[in-house]
Amino acid sequence: SQQGEEDPQALSIQEGENATMNCSYKTSINNLQWYRQNSGRGLVHLILIRSNEREKHSGRLRVTLDTSKKSSSLLITASRAADTASYFCATDDWKAQKLVFGQGTRLTINP
Amino acid sequence: KAGVTQTPRYLIKTRGQQVTLSCSPISGHRSVSWYQQTPGQGLQFLFEYFSETQRNKGNFPGRFSGRQFSNSRSEMNVSTLELGDSALYLCASSLGTGLASSYNEQFFGPGTRLTVL
């Protein structure tokens, strides 16, 4: 079953613009993670944010977590063509003790 | 450190056959998790191995099995292949601290693309 639901499913922007993706989930979590996947390849870990954290930064990435709304957002600033990929949020379902991935947001950066 | 490696990268099998996929984790990582990725179902957790023991399991039939060796390398096996088993199979390794692999960031391999004809 999918717990994380990403929004939008697809996003197309111009290079240099900011991209924002949202993730909503249903149950209590220990942490929420964001991953990137280039077409047909393995996933690359971007950021892990724990349930007691509200915001985290890594380079051009900013992740927020609102546990009261059960939602998270990933902001990519000053986008580049190389950011074109699918982005997945994954929640740590502490009861099932596994990562549950959303369906992903397909991001396209146009030059 | 070398990343997670998976072999083979591509595999074509026919219905009814069985297949074994291999995963070598990052050195020092004791936890290996397996995921199945399909266009329809997305990424789904298969199972996790830690110190040669299956620690967690997803909702897959018994045709899907795995094991982990003392050097943390892992294999997964799918018996009696069905058309619906066509997918990208991803292996991920992590340090293994905490009760489950999901407690830490996971490092994914490039995947094995299995096609069942």
Side-chain angles (χ1 to χ4, degrees), chain B residues 22-37:
Chain B
S22 181
C23 172
S24 292
I26 291 173
S27 177
H29 284 190
R30 296 167 65 190
S31 168
V32 174
S33 298
W34 289 89
Y35 296 85
Q36 180 196 66
Q37 186 177 29

Side-chain angles (χ1 to χ4, degrees), chain B residues 45-65:
Chain B
F45 173 78
L46 279 156
F47 30 63
E48 181 209 353
Y49 285 87
F50 178 77
S51 292
E52 301 178 66
T53 302
Q54 187 180 88
R55 185 158 70 169
N56 290 300
K57 190 178 187 305
N59 298 322
F60 278 82
R63 301 185 297 108
F64 292 81
S65 63

